[in-house]
Amino acid sequence: MFPSCYSKPTSSKDLFKRTNLTKILLGVFVVYMSHTCWVIYGFVYTKPCERGKGDCISSYLAERPRLQLSIFSSLRPDHSELNLIINIDDFDIHSKFERVVNVSLPLATRNNGTLHTLVYVHKFGVSPLQDNRQVHHVAQLSTYMMSRENLSSAKEVLKVRQLSQKHAATAPRVVDRPISHWRSRLTLNMMSEDFTFNRGTLPSDVRRYMRVFQDENRMVYLPLLHIDELSVRVKDMMEINGSTTKLPLTISYEGLSLRQFRLWIHMQDVMFSLKRFGFTEVNIDEIKGVLVDHNLYLLALTTLVTAFHFIFEFLAFKNDISFWRKKKNMVGMSRKTVLWRCFSTIVILLKMLEERSSLLGLIPVGIGTTIEVWKVKKVSKIQLQWRTSRSIVHVGKFDESERKTIQHDTQAMKCLSYLVYPLSISGAIFSLVYLRYKNYYSWLINSLVSGIYAFGFLSMAPQLFINFKLKSVGHLQWNVLMYKAVNTFVNDVFACVFSTHPSHQLGCFRDEILFLLYLYQRRLYSTNKTRCREYGSCHHNHRKLKAQ
């Protein structure tokens, strides 16, 4: 008699379903990549208009006119109350320059008001207000950003409220209010390429910046001027106070080709779209840093790698759910690791809710948190049964092999607690004494998040200890581990190429080290497929014995 844990042979129907889902996923990925390549090709190549064929729109710059660049400041975004900032005669569109000027601040701007800049490109020697062939753009030299006032620590706030309960409402608290900040950089771009467009196939992104006039029997478009908003970084912003009368402004100019001009317009539109999706100013600033501070070819490679990152993340997500849904016994599985991951995802979700992160970030973390809670229910063998108006919780019993696994898991976690708990508690006390938070809840969440990022990788250590004690790795979900390892490797590359926080770089490399230890254990402990408990079901070797 053989054990009753023999698994049913995989039917051709199930195999077809699995293969069909993989083909659909691969097809979606191919369509996405094809669409991305087509969009990129549209930026790289724009078909010019052939002379005598179709309605051609030629460039005003083809006549080599003498131009002048004039930049003004104004309290209103119109042509009234203009104050000259800089005037550049004989403006060469193919040149590249950078100049620093001091801009006078009106009293209204110093009192938390707004100041605009108007950039004109017009005929040499003619006032921009009298030139009907001028082009201009308006941008803000000051912008409102949330600034946090200097506060007392949470401990001092509590002391004040204890001294005077009547005036508890007047106790120090964090107040967020918009403060006017100075834009210290103004980057100007103009399409310096002499390109003739076809009116019928004029790109929509270029059409928004184009002004066309009729010159005898031909149509001519004026210079395509663009103010680069991607170069405006949060780190370059300066808070405006009432005592400052002048602030420096760095003005830079560079000519662009048509493909560069269209690409930067598209990137700038993406930034505005992210704001509508709820991205914070800090999140958008990080994306700007990636776009501005790195090479365009590197950005294209990043797009390709990110697409593969998403597909591997989805495969890991799908296989993880499938593995735990079919899991019947918990031999060799670390309950402490599952509980730690569940706790970590809940804390990170609370941190994101406190920071009012965008829905694009909250929804995936929320789904991940739900799955981790479901895993805790599976690994603890908790079952909920609804009877009439009340629910009954049943906790399943563990057999001898599972209890042995729990003992190894508890032993490993006990050893780790001697290191993790003292360091985490001392770090939380240090942050409470020397750092400032708006309340105790914020201090608690930030301390927990810091502990998770610092020691979260150690949550995988109990599983390594269990593998060592059982001398087996057959109970692990290796397909999920492989997908996550590929994504971790991608994170390592990004951490090296792009400017990320040192703690994030350290966390990525620590995960790689632990995965290498898993691979070493897989090589060291060959899978014994005659043991049903390793997978929760028996394997083909047993079926061959049964057939004999």
Side-chain angles (χ1 to χ4, degrees):
M1 241 359 240
F2 288 94
S4 60
C5 58
Y6 284 105
S7 63
K8 202 175 185 181
T10 304
S11 64
S12 59
K13 186 177 181 181
D14 294 337
L15 183 62
F16 173 76
K17 287 182 179 179
R18 198 175 302 172
T19 307
N20 193 30
L21 179 61
T22 304
K23 288 182 178 180
I24 292 175
L25 181 62
L26 182 61
V28 171
F29 177 71
V30 170
V31 171
Y32 170 77
M33 292 304 301
S34 301
H35 177 265
T36 302
C37 293
W38 176 255
V39 172
I40 295 176
Y41 175 77
F43 292 126
V44 173
Y45 177 74
T46 304
K47 187 177 180 180
C49 181
E50 299 180 8
R51 300 289 181 179
K53 295 184 180 180
D55 296 332
C56 295
I57 308 177
S58 57
S59 175
Y60 176 73
L61 301 176
E63 302 175 357
R64 302 292 189 272
R66 292 185 66 186
L67 299 176
Q68 187 171 334
L69 176 66
S70 300
I71 303 177
F72 300 87
S73 64
S74 176
L75 292 174
R76 301 173 59 185
D78 51 20
H79 303 279
S80 61
E81 301 179 4
L82 298 179
N83 297 311
L84 182 64
I85 297 177
I86 188 173
N87 189 14
I88 299 178
D89 299 331
D90 286 330
F91 173 56
D92 183 9
I93 61 173
H94 301 284
S95 64
K96 181 180 179 180
F97 64 84
E98 180 175 299
R99 299 186 183 181
V100 180
V101 296
N102 290 321
V103 181
S104 300
L105 301 182
L107 181 61
T109 303
R110 283 178 278 164
N111 294 330
N112 209 24
T114 304
L115 188 64
H116 299 83
T117 180
L118 290 86
V119 181
Y120 291 87
V121 176
H122 54 96
K123 289 183 180 180
F124 175 77
V126 180
S127 172
L129 301 180
Q130 299 175 354
D131 184 12
N132 58 358
R133 302 286 172 85
Q134 55 87 13
V135 291
H136 73 277
H137 270 285
V138 182
Q140 288 188 358
L141 289 178
S142 63
T143 184
Y144 289 106
M145 294 175 57
M146 304 307 295
S147 179
R148 185 156 292 181
E149 296 179 347
N150 295 328
L151 303 170
S152 302
S153 63
K155 193 173 182 180
E156 296 172 344
V157 173
L158 184 61
K159 187 183 296 183
V160 170
R161 290 181 176 177
Q162 289 175 347
L163 291 175
S164 180
Q165 292 293 335
K166 296 181 180 180
H167 304 284
T170 61
R173 67 181 186 274
V174 174
V175 180
D176 289 334
R177 64 185 183 89
I179 300 295
S180 186
H181 286 70
W182 178 253
R183 171 180 179 165
S184 60
R185 295 191 64 86
L186 179 64
T187 303
L188 310 176
N189 300 119
M190 184 182 293
M191 195 190 83
S192 56
E193 181 180 350
D194 184 6
F195 191 87
T196 303
F197 291 96
N198 191 321
R199 185 177 181 182
T201 60
L202 183 64
S204 58
D205 48 6
V206 178
R207 190 191 303 270
R208 291 183 288 130
Y209 288 83
M210 182 176 288
R211 284 186 57 199
V212 181
F213 67 93
Q214 191 77 25
D215 185 14
E216 297 180 352
N217 295 328
R218 64 191 185 99
M219 298 183 67
V220 180
Y221 67 90
L222 293 173
L224 301 179
L225 179 64
H226 174 249
I227 297 179
D228 185 10
E229 298 292 343
L230 295 178
S231 60
V232 181
R233 304 291 304 279
V234 173
K235 64 181 181 180
D236 297 326
M237 291 292 183
M238 304 169 58
E239 186 173 336
I240 300 176
N241 54 53
S243 60
T244 304
T245 58
K246 289 187 177 182
L247 283 175
L249 177 65
T250 302
I251 302 174
S252 59
Y253 169 81
E254 183 178 4
L256 300 177
S257 63
L258 175 59
R259 66 184 63 174
Q260 290 176 321
F261 185 81
R262 294 189 60 192
L263 180 61
W264 288 120
I265 291 176
H266 179 73
M267 294 298 180
Q268 192 162 296
D269 292 341
V270 170
M271 295 301 107
F272 286 116
S273 300
L274 292 178
K275 285 185 178 180
R276 289 196 295 268
F277 277 111
F279 276 68
T280 63
E281 193 70 32
V282 177
N283 299 140
I284 296 177
D285 185 70
E286 292 176 354
I287 300 175
K288 286 181 179 181
V290 174
L291 296 176
V292 175
D293 298 340
H294 297 90
N295 188 277
L296 292 179
Y297 296 103
L298 185 60
L299 293 178
L301 178 62
T302 303
T303 303
L304 180 63
V305 173
T306 303
F308 282 101
H309 186 278
F310 282 140
I311 193 170
F312 280 117
E313 190 72 29
F314 174 80
L315 290 173
F317 175 78
K318 168 183 157 305
N319 284 275
D320 194 26
I321 295 178
S322 177
F323 173 84
W324 284 97
R325 184 170 55 87
K326 298 176 182 178
K327 195 71 174 172
K328 301 301 181 184
N329 67 78
M330 299 302 158
V331 176
M333 302 303 297
S334 173
R335 294 177 62 197
K336 303 296 184 182
T337 299
V338 177
L339 288 171
W340 174 260
R341 288 177 180 171
C342 179
F343 173 75
S344 301
T345 52
I346 291 175
V347 170
I348 292 174
L349 179 63
L350 293 176
K351 174 65 175 177
M352 296 179 68
L353 289 173
E354 186 199 19
E355 294 180 346
R356 299 179 181 178
S357 300
S358 63
L359 291 178
L360 290 179
L362 284 173
I363 292 176
V365 176
I367 295 175
T369 303
T370 305
I371 294 174
E372 293 298 333
V373 173
W374 171 70
K375 287 182 186 179
V376 172
K377 173 180 170 294
K378 289 283 292 185
V379 78
S380 303
K381 293 189 176 183
I382 299 175
Q383 295 181 354
L384 296 177
Q385 293 182 354
W386 296 90
R387 293 183 180 178
T388 61
S389 61
R390 61 191 182 93
S391 61
I392 301 177
V393 179
H394 291 283
V395 180
K397 294 183 179 180
F398 298 98
D399 58 22
E400 183 180 353
S401 300
E402 291 174 326
R403 286 195 294 270
K404 190 176 181 180
T405 300
I406 294 174
Q407 291 177 359
H408 298 325
D409 194 17
T410 305
Q411 182 182 356
M413 204 63 194
K414 183 179 180 181
C415 296
L416 287 178
S417 63
Y418 296 142
L419 172 67
V420 175
Y421 293 161
L423 293 177
S424 299
I425 294 174
S426 60
I429 295 175
F430 176 85
S431 62
L432 178 63
V433 174
Y434 293 99
L435 301 180
R436 293 180 178 178
Y437 299 95
K438 58 183 179 181
N439 49 44
Y440 283 109
Y441 174 77
S442 178
W443 163 77
L444 178 62
I445 292 296
N446 281 275
S447 300
L448 292 175
V449 169
S450 299
I452 289 170
Y453 280 121
F455 307 108
F457 74 105
L458 292 177
S459 65
M460 303 171 67
Q463 186 64 64
L464 291 171
F465 183 75
I466 293 174
N467 299 342
F468 168 73
K469 285 294 186 179
L470 298 181
K471 298 296 187 292
S472 173
V473 292
H475 45 267
L476 298 180
Q477 42 186 354
W478 283 102
N479 50 356
V480 176
L481 286 175
M482 290 301 297
Y483 291 137
K484 290 184 176 180
V486 172
N487 281 339
T488 305
F489 176 75
V490 172
N491 291 334
D492 291 344
V493 175
F494 274 58
C496 295
V497 174
F498 300 111
S499 57
T500 58
H501 197 273
S503 61
H504 176 71
Q505 298 176 358
L506 180 60
C508 292
F509 287 112
R510 290 181 311 191
D511 293 342
E512 287 290 354
I513 293 174
L514 288 173
F515 179 72
L516 291 177
L517 292 176
Y518 276 110
L519 290 180
Y520 174 73
Q521 286 188 335
R522 183 185 176 103
R523 181 180 178 86
L524 184 64
Y525 310 131
S526 58
T527 303
N528 185 2
K529 295 186 178 182
T530 64
R531 289 187 293 179
C532 303
R533 286 298 187 182
E534 284 193 348
Y535 289 88
S537 60
C538 295
H539 294 266
H540 300 289
N541 290 347
H542 268 168
R543 288 195 289 269
K544 290 180 181 179
L545 291 173
K546 186 178 181 180
Q548 293 175 1

